[in-house]
Amino acid sequence: MEEPTTHTTEINHWDDLNLKTNLLRGIYAVGFENPSEIQKKAILPVLSKNDVIAQAQSGTGKTGTFSISSLQLTDPEVDELQTLIIAPTQELARQIFSVVNSIGIFIDGL
């Protein structure tokens, strides 16, 4: 069994994640000033394409975590399914859709 990857990079600001410029624009446009604790801990492992199980209280940035990670990994030039987000309710699916669209507003081709 493969050992989990440990990321020791300290994340304090969005710029520390080396995200696409237009993704950063979207993050700041929706009012995300700095990454939350769950975002600091989970985004880099996801971007490294590791399986991640992350648990946090409601309202702490979990949706932003997987939305930002997914948008960073998505290539708008590729015309095929690249990310699948599954939600247990239609209400949550709509909320996730809204967050992804808001954060990804400046990414051409989405």
Side-chain angles (χ1 to χ4, degrees):
M1 186 171 173
E2 202 173 306
E3 287 294 316
T5 304
T6 303
H7 294 275
T8 57
T9 305
E10 188 168 334
I11 306 299
N12 293 309
H13 307 282
W14 293 112
D15 295 333
D16 298 336
L17 293 165
N18 297 316
L19 300 172
K20 299 173 189 173
T21 301
N22 284 340
L23 178 54
L24 279 172
R25 288 179 62 204
I27 290 168
Y28 289 122
V30 298
F32 291 179
E33 293 179 19
N34 291 304
S36 68
E37 287 305 310
I38 191 70
Q39 292 162 344
K40 290 177 184 180
K41 293 177 181 175
I43 290 176
L44 281 180
V46 173
L47 294 180
S48 297
K49 300 184 180 179
N50 290 301
D51 293 336
V52 175
I53 298 173
Q55 183 175 353
Q57 294 293 321
S58 179
T60 59
K62 292 182 302 294
T63 301
T65 299
F66 62 77
S67 298
I68 291 165
S69 301
S70 297
L71 288 166
Q72 176 68 19
L73 293 171
T74 299
D75 181 352
E77 301 295 318
V78 175
D79 191 23
E80 61 186 43
L81 181 65
Q82 298 176 59
T83 301
L84 178 63
I85 299 170
I86 300 172
T89 65
Q90 186 175 24
E91 179 183 338
L92 185 55
R94 287 182 181 173
Q95 175 190 342
I96 294 166
F97 178 79
S98 175
V99 170
V100 170
N101 279 334
S102 296
I103 295 171
I105 191 74
F106 298 108
I107 300 174
D108 294 332
L110 289 183

